[in-house]
């Protein structure tokens, strides 16, 4: 089986199996933000600014994900300013997403997550400095950079055209030995990001039904969005 056909089949099966929860929580916000980004060598992961993603007439999947994200943020009481007043860059968006409130409980959770992977101990006297709003934004941006590159690495074979069976076997082997480790690391990183986002998102969620009814959630279904992504990837 060719490498390209195998990857195309895997992608199609993944979209057919998609069963998104009706609830939006901090993890889904982070996952959706990652889908909005694209990588540029100089700047790293950025929000594409050439064609504003908030406009309903833009029909690509990144734009739909972005409008979903804006709707969800509105539902979490973190509305983004109107397009005429807001520059849609990643740092600016993170400043809107993150809550300025960061309780001692969340500081403890963040420290524990860091210490679990043997990050050098942070002196308690420095907690207010390290977990200030601006420093949390810096940490989140760096962690998003890692998640984006990890996702990019996992999809490195997606564009491979027909190849010998031996190469397909080698590609399959590298995927199997790395994907689980990447997934485990990404899960830990997302957990830390969700803590760093602050008090607003802890132990709470908002339903898609409410977003549709009150917050201008785009009408594109998950199935339609999956087909759109599939066409963009393989057309």
């Amino acid at each position: 089986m060719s490498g390209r056909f195998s990857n195309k089949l895997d992608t199609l099966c993944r979209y057919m199996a998609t069963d998104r929860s009706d609830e939006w929580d901090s993890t889904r916000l982070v996952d959706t933000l990652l889908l909005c980004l694209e990588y540029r060598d100089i700047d790293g992961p950025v929000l594409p600014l050439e064609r504003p993603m908030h406009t309903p007439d833009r029909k690509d999947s990144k734009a739909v994900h972005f409008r979903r994200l804006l709707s969800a943020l509105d539902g979490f009481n973190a509305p983004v300013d109107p397009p005429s007043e807001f520059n849609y860059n990643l740092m600016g968006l993170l400043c809107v997403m993150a809550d300025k409130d960061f309780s001692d409980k969340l500081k403890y959770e963040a420290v524990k997550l860091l210490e679990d992977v043997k990050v050098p101990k942070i002196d308690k006297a420095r907690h207010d400095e390290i977990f200030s709003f601006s420093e949390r934004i810096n940490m989140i941006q760096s962690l998003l950079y890692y998640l984006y590159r990890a996702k990019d690495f996992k999809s490195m074979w997606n564009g491979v055209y027909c190849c010998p069976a031996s190469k397909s076997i080698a590609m399959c082997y590298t995927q199997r030995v790395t994907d689980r480790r990447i997934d485990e690391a990404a899960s830990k990183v997302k957990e830390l990001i969700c803590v760093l986002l602050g008090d607003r998102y802890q132990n709470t969620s908002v339903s898609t039904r409410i977003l549709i009814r009150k917050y201008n959630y785009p009408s594109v279904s998950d199935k339609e969005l999956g087909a759109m992504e599939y066409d963009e990837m393989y057309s």
Side-chain angles (χ1 to χ4, degrees), residues 7-28:
N7 284 312
K8 191 171 183 179
L9 183 60
D10 288 345
T11 304
L12 181 59
C13 290
R14 187 168 65 250
Y15 288 141
M16 290 176 66
T18 296
D19 182 21
R20 290 306 311 233
S21 166
D22 185 48
E23 298 295 315
W24 281 77
D25 58 10
S26 55
T27 301
R28 189 168 180 183

mmCIF file of all heavy atoms in Angstrom, residues 7-28:
data_model
loop_
_atom_site.group_PDB
_atom_site.id
_atom_site.type_symbol
_atom_site.label_atom_id
_atom_site.label_comp_id
_atom_site.label_asym_id
_atom_site.label_seq_id
_atom_site.Cartn_x
_atom_site.Cartn_y
_atom_site.Cartn_z
ATOM 1 N N ASN A 7 -2.098 7.148 4.476
ATOM 2 C CA ASN A 7 -2.359 8.333 5.275
ATOM 3 C C ASN A 7 -3.723 8.934 4.946
ATOM 4 O O ASN A 7 -4.421 9.434 5.820
ATOM 5 C CB ASN A 7 -1.268 9.376 5.040
ATOM 6 C CG ASN A 7 0.009 9.007 5.758
ATOM 7 O OD1 ASN A 7 -0.004 8.658 6.921
ATOM 8 N ND2 ASN A 7 1.117 9.063 5.037
ATOM 9 N N LYS A 8 -4.082 8.912 3.672
ATOM 10 C CA LYS A 8 -5.373 9.448 3.254
ATOM 11 C C LYS A 8 -6.505 8.632 3.865
ATOM 12 O O LYS A 8 -7.493 9.186 4.367
ATOM 13 C CB LYS A 8 -5.466 9.421 1.728
ATOM 14 C CG LYS A 8 -6.648 10.195 1.155
ATOM 15 C CD LYS A 8 -6.517 10.292 -0.348
ATOM 16 C CE LYS A 8 -7.658 11.129 -0.944
ATOM 17 N NZ LYS A 8 -7.540 11.263 -2.389
ATOM 18 N N LEU A 9 -6.353 7.297 3.887
ATOM 19 C CA LEU A 9 -7.368 6.435 4.476
ATOM 20 C C LEU A 9 -7.469 6.673 5.982
ATOM 21 O O LEU A 9 -8.564 6.744 6.541
ATOM 22 C CB LEU A 9 -7.012 4.964 4.199
ATOM 23 C CG LEU A 9 -8.021 3.915 4.688
ATOM 24 C CD1 LEU A 9 -9.373 4.134 4.022
ATOM 25 C CD2 LEU A 9 -7.497 2.512 4.392
ATOM 26 N N ASP A 10 -6.306 6.816 6.645
ATOM 27 C CA ASP A 10 -6.314 7.086 8.084
ATOM 28 C C ASP A 10 -7.052 8.383 8.391
ATOM 29 O O ASP A 10 -7.826 8.462 9.350
ATOM 30 C CB ASP A 10 -4.880 7.183 8.616
ATOM 31 C CG ASP A 10 -4.186 5.836 8.657
ATOM 32 O OD1 ASP A 10 -4.888 4.817 8.542
ATOM 33 O OD2 ASP A 10 -2.946 5.814 8.796
ATOM 34 N N THR A 11 -6.800 9.408 7.582
ATOM 35 C CA THR A 11 -7.450 10.700 7.799
ATOM 36 C C THR A 11 -8.951 10.596 7.614
ATOM 37 O O THR A 11 -9.734 11.104 8.417
ATOM 38 C CB THR A 11 -6.883 11.755 6.819
ATOM 39 O OG1 THR A 11 -5.474 11.823 6.989
ATOM 40 C CG2 THR A 11 -7.498 13.125 7.080
ATOM 41 N N LEU A 12 -9.384 9.911 6.546
ATOM 42 C CA LEU A 12 -10.810 9.743 6.279
ATOM 43 C C LEU A 12 -11.488 8.995 7.425
ATOM 44 O O LEU A 12 -12.561 9.391 7.890
ATOM 45 C CB LEU A 12 -11.006 8.983 4.962
ATOM 46 C CG LEU A 12 -12.461 8.741 4.535
ATOM 47 C CD1 LEU A 12 -13.202 10.063 4.388
ATOM 48 C CD2 LEU A 12 -12.503 7.948 3.238
ATOM 49 N N CYS A 13 -10.849 7.934 7.917
ATOM 50 C CA CYS A 13 -11.431 7.161 9.018
ATOM 51 C C CYS A 13 -11.540 8.006 10.277
ATOM 52 O O CYS A 13 -12.510 7.905 11.032
ATOM 53 C CB CYS A 13 -10.582 5.915 9.302
ATOM 54 S SG CYS A 13 -10.666 4.663 8.004
ATOM 55 N N ARG A 14 -10.542 8.854 10.518
ATOM 56 C CA ARG A 14 -10.561 9.706 11.706
ATOM 57 C C ARG A 14 -11.732 10.675 11.644
ATOM 58 O O ARG A 14 -12.430 10.897 12.626
ATOM 59 C CB ARG A 14 -9.235 10.453 11.828
ATOM 60 C CG ARG A 14 -9.102 11.234 13.125
ATOM 61 C CD ARG A 14 -7.675 11.711 13.349
ATOM 62 N NE ARG A 14 -7.242 12.666 12.362
ATOM 63 C CZ ARG A 14 -6.342 12.423 11.433
ATOM 64 N NH1 ARG A 14 -5.801 11.222 11.337
ATOM 65 N NH2 ARG A 14 -5.990 13.347 10.562
ATOM 66 N N TYR A 15 -11.956 11.275 10.478
ATOM 67 C CA TYR A 15 -13.069 12.204 10.347
ATOM 68 C C TYR A 15 -14.415 11.485 10.458
ATOM 69 O O TYR A 15 -15.353 12.005 11.046
ATOM 70 C CB TYR A 15 -12.991 12.949 9.014
ATOM 71 C CG TYR A 15 -11.896 13.974 8.965
ATOM 72 C CD1 TYR A 15 -11.143 14.151 7.819
ATOM 73 C CD2 TYR A 15 -11.617 14.761 10.076
ATOM 74 C CE1 TYR A 15 -10.130 15.094 7.773
ATOM 75 C CE2 TYR A 15 -10.603 15.705 10.037
ATOM 76 C CZ TYR A 15 -9.859 15.874 8.880
ATOM 77 O OH TYR A 15 -8.868 16.800 8.840
ATOM 78 N N MET A 16 -14.505 10.276 9.894
ATOM 79 C CA MET A 16 -15.758 9.531 9.981
ATOM 80 C C MET A 16 -16.067 9.151 11.425
ATOM 81 O O MET A 16 -17.229 9.051 11.821
ATOM 82 C CB MET A 16 -15.680 8.276 9.110
ATOM 83 C CG MET A 16 -15.679 8.568 7.612
ATOM 84 S SD MET A 16 -15.462 7.077 6.633
ATOM 85 C CE MET A 16 -16.971 6.194 6.995
ATOM 86 N N ALA A 17 -15.006 8.968 12.227
ATOM 87 C CA ALA A 17 -15.195 8.557 13.620
ATOM 88 C C ALA A 17 -15.362 9.748 14.552
ATOM 89 O O ALA A 17 -15.583 9.571 15.748
ATOM 90 C CB ALA A 17 -14.002 7.711 14.070
ATOM 91 N N THR A 18 -15.243 10.966 14.034
ATOM 92 C CA THR A 18 -15.303 12.149 14.882
ATOM 93 C C THR A 18 -16.645 12.236 15.604
ATOM 94 O O THR A 18 -17.693 12.119 15.001
ATOM 95 C CB THR A 18 -15.104 13.426 14.036
ATOM 96 O OG1 THR A 18 -13.787 13.403 13.488
ATOM 97 C CG2 THR A 18 -15.254 14.680 14.904
ATOM 98 N N ASP A 19 -16.571 12.422 16.920
ATOM 99 C CA ASP A 19 -17.781 12.551 17.735
ATOM 100 C C ASP A 19 -17.493 13.592 18.803
ATOM 101 O O ASP A 19 -17.163 13.267 19.934
ATOM 102 C CB ASP A 19 -18.141 11.204 18.359
ATOM 103 C CG ASP A 19 -19.429 11.281 19.174
ATOM 104 O OD1 ASP A 19 -20.203 12.214 18.936
ATOM 105 O OD2 ASP A 19 -19.634 10.401 20.031
ATOM 106 N N ARG A 20 -17.583 14.855 18.426
ATOM 107 C CA ARG A 20 -17.246 15.922 19.342
ATOM 108 C C ARG A 20 -18.275 16.037 20.453
ATOM 109 O O ARG A 20 -19.462 15.888 20.229
ATOM 110 C CB ARG A 20 -17.166 17.266 18.601
ATOM 111 C CG ARG A 20 -15.987 17.430 17.662
ATOM 112 C CD ARG A 20 -14.659 17.168 18.299
ATOM 113 N NE ARG A 20 -14.457 17.850 19.562
ATOM 114 C CZ ARG A 20 -13.410 18.610 19.831
ATOM 115 N NH1 ARG A 20 -12.497 18.808 18.925
ATOM 116 N NH2 ARG A 20 -13.281 19.158 21.019
ATOM 117 N N SER A 21 -17.779 16.315 21.652
ATOM 118 C CA SER A 21 -18.668 16.605 22.766
ATOM 119 C C SER A 21 -19.449 17.879 22.478
ATOM 120 O O SER A 21 -19.002 18.745 21.723
ATOM 121 C CB SER A 21 -17.833 16.778 24.038
ATOM 122 O OG SER A 21 -18.596 17.371 25.058
ATOM 123 N N ASP A 22 -20.607 17.976 23.086
ATOM 124 C CA ASP A 22 -21.401 19.186 22.941
ATOM 125 C C ASP A 22 -20.869 20.296 23.846
ATOM 126 O O ASP A 22 -21.338 21.424 23.786
ATOM 127 C CB ASP A 22 -22.867 18.883 23.282
ATOM 128 C CG ASP A 22 -23.776 20.077 23.028
ATOM 129 O OD1 ASP A 22 -23.664 20.671 21.942
ATOM 130 O OD2 ASP A 22 -24.561 20.427 23.915
ATOM 131 N N GLU A 23 -19.894 19.976 24.689
ATOM 132 C CA GLU A 23 -19.396 20.937 25.668
ATOM 133 C C GLU A 23 -18.053 21.525 25.254
ATOM 134 O O GLU A 23 -17.208 20.846 24.673
ATOM 135 C CB GLU A 23 -19.245 20.269 27.040
ATOM 136 C CG GLU A 23 -20.535 19.744 27.635
ATOM 137 C CD GLU A 23 -21.518 20.862 27.948
ATOM 138 O OE1 GLU A 23 -21.095 21.885 28.516
ATOM 139 O OE2 GLU A 23 -22.708 20.706 27.604
ATOM 140 N N TRP A 24 -17.879 22.798 25.552
ATOM 141 C CA TRP A 24 -16.603 23.482 25.371
ATOM 142 C C TRP A 24 -15.971 23.713 26.743
ATOM 143 O O TRP A 24 -16.579 24.337 27.607
ATOM 144 C CB TRP A 24 -16.813 24.826 24.669
ATOM 145 C CG TRP A 24 -16.994 24.701 23.191
ATOM 146 C CD1 TRP A 24 -18.114 24.306 22.534
ATOM 147 C CD2 TRP A 24 -16.012 24.970 22.190
ATOM 148 N NE1 TRP A 24 -17.896 24.309 21.173
ATOM 149 C CE2 TRP A 24 -16.610 24.713 20.931
ATOM 150 C CE3 TRP A 24 -14.689 25.407 22.229
ATOM 151 C CZ2 TRP A 24 -15.934 24.881 19.726
ATOM 152 C CZ3 TRP A 24 -14.004 25.571 21.033
ATOM 153 C CH2 TRP A 24 -14.621 25.306 19.796
ATOM 154 N N ASP A 25 -14.752 23.205 26.921
ATOM 155 C CA ASP A 25 -13.990 23.479 28.125
ATOM 156 C C ASP A 25 -12.632 24.035 27.713
ATOM 157 O O ASP A 25 -12.385 24.303 26.524
ATOM 158 C CB ASP A 25 -13.844 22.228 28.991
ATOM 159 C CG ASP A 25 -13.180 21.069 28.245
ATOM 160 O OD1 ASP A 25 -12.654 21.291 27.122
ATOM 161 O OD2 ASP A 25 -13.193 19.947 28.770
ATOM 162 N N SER A 26 -11.743 24.235 28.665
ATOM 163 C CA SER A 26 -10.451 24.859 28.343
ATOM 164 C C SER A 26 -9.625 23.996 27.389
ATOM 165 O O SER A 26 -8.932 24.523 26.519
ATOM 166 C CB SER A 26 -9.658 25.135 29.623
ATOM 167 O OG SER A 26 -9.512 23.955 30.397
ATOM 168 N N THR A 27 -9.712 22.675 27.515
ATOM 169 C CA THR A 27 -8.959 21.797 26.615
ATOM 170 C C THR A 27 -9.427 21.957 25.179
ATOM 171 O O THR A 27 -8.612 22.031 24.248
ATOM 172 C CB THR A 27 -9.112 20.326 27.048
ATOM 173 O OG1 THR A 27 -8.629 20.167 28.385
ATOM 174 C CG2 THR A 27 -8.316 19.412 26.124
ATOM 175 N N ARG A 28 -10.743 22.046 24.977
ATOM 176 C CA ARG A 28 -11.254 22.214 23.615
ATOM 177 C C ARG A 28 -10.877 23.587 23.062
ATOM 178 O O ARG A 28 -10.627 23.728 21.857
ATOM 179 C CB ARG A 28 -12.772 22.018 23.595
ATOM 180 C CG ARG A 28 -13.324 21.976 22.170
ATOM 181 C CD ARG A 28 -14.752 21.508 22.133
ATOM 182 N NE ARG A 28 -15.246 21.492 20.760
ATOM 183 C CZ ARG A 28 -16.488 21.179 20.411
ATOM 184 N NH1 ARG A 28 -17.367 20.836 21.337
ATOM 185 N NH2 ARG A 28 -16.866 21.205 19.151
#
